[in-house]
């Protein structure tokens, strides 16, 4: 992946003309302004502080060619892919780069690396795809001799596929597309498709409790984990793959979501399913976000939710339609139809079904009946197909927005159905208030993306004209939204995890005793405290 953005060189995308006009009209973005990242050679880096003896021990553990402290490796592992990460990297700030990057090729080598680092008091940052958006992979080395990033990219094998049990044992460094490709050879799928799918890893998903776009149907990653292997400085913690067990507290739950602070997840045994033979994605319209939320609640609680269920609020719908404003005659006719049905200014929803043909058809009809009863108007397959086509395209456009001097960021939360509307209002208001000083009002939009029997997630995207001090502007917005989430009873994160950015709100999330329990587990597994310092736990 590019060190300063998303995707690889050669995969360029540009904003369509209607989008540029909208950004000019609504945010005052100057269409002629373009400001790319500095060159790699201009990124400011401190000299590596890794002592020669520690470096030699690491080289002995993994092979000299797998311990790198060159500029390219250090900058590529300096940060994740949140807005603040990209602002710092693009401006040439490499102050968070690790002192070296170590890439072990086996669990035994991971063990040797952890032992060398514990003895030399070197902090270790586990690194999967580096797509964290909460500061999860940014090295923090205060109080340590140095910090190394442990990149699991060479642990990339499918170790076992159990067709009868429908489970697969995967190494942590497998990237999404490769995992799906290899499972596909067995006629299987994991069904885990976060928007970062192309660049995130199995280990990263488990370490962050990630949720894929189809997790309403296939389940979040934490629901799919059957077994685990964690290598910690103090030893190995293995949870055998079992369908169920009553043997005390479930230690898998300690490892899932541990964000590298307890050790390195080397393998995970995950539930898989037969690859779907049929897919059907369709669009729906609701008169309002409130109406759509209520229809989704009824559908979910009737056990009739699609595998992908998304409902955009009025603002997100308005902006996505505006981007297609110069569209075809069919799109214009579609808009006229919605006007006629009293849905002008309403909300777009996507319902996606995967499985066997008969199963998809049966489930689709049941969901459709409930959505229609809830006020929905069916828009047919085109909006669904367009969503499926573009499901990974958002982050590519983000680079272009940053080039044009815009702040663009996302955050997410979840709560019970009865609290969804107040939480939605509170977070939206907090973001609009914090970003009001940008000169022009920000664009704050939201969608519901994951359904549960008791509630749903809310995913906010916000855009504003970048201020003189963009990192302070971002911090003010992030803090205001986080405070609003906590005050309104939401979770500080539904799937992005805690990292550095959400750590200050963990006390509110789990309480003092809860924090002590996590700290106690960390002390036992990582007595020297070298594992990913500064993440998950508040100072
Ligand atoms: C554009 C974009 C879209 C995204 N969309 C989604 C989405 O739809 N759903 C979602 O849930 N998230 C999403 N994310 C967030 C991110 O992709 C997820 O958190 C993902 O699970 C991280 O995987 P990774 O392999 O990149 O992990 P990394 O970013 O490398 O690491 C994340 C955290 O896990 C730790 N870690 C990584 N690997 C291991 C390991 N093997 N052992 C122990 N600790 C480890 C790291 O130390 C770090 O704390 C998105 C991010 C971006 C940039």
């Amino acid at each position: 992946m590019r060190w300063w953005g998303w995707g690889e060189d050669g995969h360029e995308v540009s904003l369509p003309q209607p989008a540029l006009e909208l950004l000019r009209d609504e945010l005052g973005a100057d269409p002629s302004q373009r400001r790319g990242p500095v060159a790699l050679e201009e990124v400011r880096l401190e000299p590596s502080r890794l002592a020669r003896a520690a470096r030699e021990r690491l080289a002995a553990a993994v092979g000299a060619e797998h311990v790198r402290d060159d500029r390219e490796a250090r900058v590529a592992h300096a940060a994740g892919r949140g807005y603040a990460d990209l602002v710092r990297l693009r401006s040439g700030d490499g102050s968070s780069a690790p002192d070296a990057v170590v890439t072990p090729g086996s669990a035994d080598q991971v063990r040797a690396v952890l032992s060398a680092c514990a003895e030399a008091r070197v902090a270790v940052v586990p690194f999967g795809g580096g797509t964290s958006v909460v500061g999860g992979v940014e090295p923090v080395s205060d109080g340590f001799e140095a910090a190394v990033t442990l990149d699991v990219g060479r642990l990339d094998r499918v170790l076992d596929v159990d067709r009868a049990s429908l489970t697969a044992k995967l190494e942590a460094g497998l990237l999404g597309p490769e995992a799906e490709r290899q499972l596909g050879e067995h006629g299987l799928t994991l069904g885990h498709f976060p928007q970062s799918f192309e660049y995130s890893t199995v280990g990263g998903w488990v370490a962050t409790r990630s949720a894929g776009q189809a997790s309403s149907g296939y389940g979040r990653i934490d629901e799919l984990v059957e077994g685990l292997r964690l290598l910690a400085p103090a030893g190995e913690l293995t949870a055998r793959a079992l369908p169920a067990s009553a043997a005390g507290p479930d230690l898998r739950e300690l490892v899932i979501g541990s964000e590298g602070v307890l050790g390195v997840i080397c393998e995970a045994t995950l539930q898989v399913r037969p690859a779907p033979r049929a897919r059907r994605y369709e669009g729906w319209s609701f008169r309002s976000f409130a109406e759509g939320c209520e229809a989704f609640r009824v559908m979910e609680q009737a056990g009739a939710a699609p595998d992908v269920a998304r409902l955009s609020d009025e603002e997100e719908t308005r902006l996505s339609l505006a981007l297609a404003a110069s569209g075809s005659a069919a799109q214009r006719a579609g808009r006229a139809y919605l006007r006629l049905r009293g849905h002008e200014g309403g909300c777009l929803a996507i319902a996606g079904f995967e499985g066997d043909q008969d199963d998809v058809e049966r489930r689709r009809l049941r969901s459709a009946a409930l959505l229609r009863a809830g006020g929905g108007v069916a828009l047919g397959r085109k909006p669904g197909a367009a969503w499926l086509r573009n499901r990974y395209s958002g982050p590519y456009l983000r680079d272009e927005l940053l080039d044009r001097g815009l702040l663009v960021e996302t955050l997410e939360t979840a709560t019970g159905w009865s609290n969804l509307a107040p939480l939605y209002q509170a977070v939206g208001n907090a973001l609009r208030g914090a970003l009001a000083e940008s000169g022009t009002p920000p664009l704050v939009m939201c969608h519901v993306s994951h359904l549960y029997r008791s509630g749903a997630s809310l995913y906010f995207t916000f855009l504003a004209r970048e201020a003189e001090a963009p990192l302070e502007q971002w911090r003010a917005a992030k803090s205001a939204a986080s405070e609003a989430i906590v005050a309104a009873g939401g979770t500080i994160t539904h799937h992005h995890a805690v990292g550095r950015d959400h750590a200050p709100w963990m006390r509110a999330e789990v309480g003092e005793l809860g924090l002590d329990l996590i700290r106690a587990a960390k002390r036992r597994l990582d007595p020297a405290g070298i594992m990913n310092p500064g993440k998950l736990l508040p100072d």
Side-chain angles (χ1 to χ4, degrees), residues 13-15 20 34 396-404:
V13 290
S14 49
L15 286 163
L20 290 174
R34 289 304 292 266
Y396 294 92
L397 284 176
R398 182 176 60 168
D399 290 336
E400 169 93 357
L401 293 169
L402 263 70
D403 275 355
R404 292 179 182 276

Side-chain angles (χ1 to χ4, degrees), residues 126 128-132 136 194-196 201 204-205 208 210-211 259-260 263 265 395 495 532:
T131 65
S132 168
Q195 197 191 37
S196 56
T201 60
W205 297 339
T208 59
S210 120
E259 301 190 29
I265 297 164
H495 60 264
N532 212 4

Side-chain angles (χ1 to χ4, degrees), residues 85-416:
D85 298 320
L86 298 181
V87 167
R88 280 189 289 115
L89 287 174
R90 290 163 60 99
S91 71
D93 178 357
S95 56
S96 63
D99 294 297
V101 179
V102 187
T103 43
S106 66
D108 283 344
Q109 292 189 359
V110 171
R111 190 180 290 115
V113 168
L114 296 186
S115 153
C117 289
E119 275 175 36
R121 281 206 54 76
V122 169
V124 178
V125 183
F127 189 101
T131 65
S132 168
V133 284
V134 291
V137 290
E138 181 186 322
V140 175
S141 55
D142 300 350
F144 295 90
E145 296 297 318
V148 299
T149 290
L150 188 159
D151 187 325
V152 296
R154 289 173 64 217
L155 306 180
D156 62 352
R157 291 170 303 163
V158 172
L159 296 173
D160 183 42
V161 173
D162 182 338
R163 200 71 182 64
S165 308
L166 282 179
T167 58
K169 191 193 277 188
L170 310 178
E171 281 195 311
L174 259 177
L175 288 162
E178 186 55 20
E180 278 297 327
R181 191 191 67 72
Q182 292 201 39
L183 290 173
E185 286 174 1
H186 298 267
L188 298 170
T189 181
L190 178 61
H192 192 69
F193 304 110
Q195 197 191 37
S196 56
F197 173 72
E198 297 158 285
Y199 295 102
S200 54
T201 60
V202 167
W205 297 339
V206 174
T208 59
R209 291 186 175 270
S210 120
Q213 293 167 336
S215 286
S216 291
Y218 289 94
R220 299 161 57 96
I221 203 74
D222 38 293
E223 296 169 277
L224 302 181
V225 175
E226 292 253 323
L228 278 172
R229 185 175 182 202
L230 176 88
L231 283 182
E236 178 169 338
L237 186 67
T238 305
R240 281 187 302 137
L242 293 167
S245 165
D250 189 345
L251 293 179
R252 285 177 305 188
E253 292 296 336
L254 185 65
V255 176
I256 301 169
S258 57
E259 301 190 29
V261 309
L262 301 181
V264 180
I265 297 164
C266 290
E267 299 164 15
T269 302
L270 303 172
Q271 293 171 20
V272 293
R273 298 192 192 197
R277 278 196 270 258
R279 280 200 174 86
R280 181 152 176 157
Y281 282 69
E282 14 189 68
W284 284 82
S285 168
F286 289 90
R287 266 178 291 260
S288 68
F289 192 50
E291 182 183 63
C293 285
E294 180 57 10
F296 269 31
R297 180 187 71 77
V298 170
M299 174 177 72
E300 164 66 27
Q301 291 178 346
D307 299 311
V308 170
R310 298 167 75 92
L311 169 71
S312 295
D313 71 355
E314 289 84 351
E315 186 71 335
E316 192 170 277
T317 304
R318 179 181 78 81
L319 288 167
S320 35
L321 292 180
L323 297 188
S326 60
S328 61
Q331 282 168 329
R332 284 195 297 277
R335 277 193 288 275
Y337 172 66
L338 286 177
R339 250 194 317 277
L340 214 67
R341 299 287 305 258
H343 280 232
E344 197 177 14
C347 295
L348 181 67
I350 300 294
F353 301 85
E354 307 200 346
D356 284 345
Q357 188 70 51
D358 290 356
D359 181 50
V360 163
E361 198 48 24
R362 185 181 48 75
R363 291 168 58 217
R364 183 182 82 79
L365 290 176
R366 181 137 187 264
S367 304
L370 290 165
L371 291 177
R372 206 167 279 118
V377 168
L379 302 179
R381 293 169 87 141
K382 277 201 174 137
W387 180 83
L388 199 55
R389 216 173 29 249
N390 296 320
R391 68 194 298 186
Y392 305 127
S393 61
Y396 294 92
L397 284 176
R398 182 176 60 168
D399 290 336
E400 169 93 357
L401 293 169
L402 263 70
D403 275 355
R404 292 179 182 276
L406 292 170
L407 178 158
V408 50
E409 180 63 310
T410 62
L411 54 87
E412 31 70 69
T413 179
T415 192

Side-chain angles (χ1 to χ4, degrees), residues 493-508:
T493 172
H494 166 263
H495 60 264
H496 280 168
V498 180
R500 286 193 89 180
D501 298 348
H502 293 144
W505 288 277
M506 269 301 269
R507 190 164 277 109

Side-chain angles (χ1 to χ4, degrees), residues 15-91:
L15 286 163
Q17 194 55 31
L20 290 174
E21 286 163 16
L22 184 143
L23 295 172
R24 182 199 58 208
D25 296 347
E26 304 211 10
L27 293 177
D30 175 358
S32 64
Q33 183 192 341
R34 289 304 292 266
R35 194 193 46 203
V38 303
L40 179 61
E41 300 70 45
E42 290 168 35
V43 176
R44 298 177 297 284
L45 279 181
E46 298 291 325
S48 171
R49 295 170 310 152
L50 189 63
R52 192 199 291 181
R55 195 182 199 293
E56 282 171 0
R57 238 186 111 188
L58 290 172
V62 298
E65 70 277 29
H66 299 302
V67 183
R68 290 180 58 184
D69 57 8
D70 54 280
R71 168 170 288 269
E72 199 179 339
R74 290 180 66 202
V75 172
H77 293 83
R81 286 295 173 271
Y83 169 77
D85 298 320
L86 298 181
V87 167
R88 280 189 289 115
L89 287 174
R90 290 163 60 99
S91 71

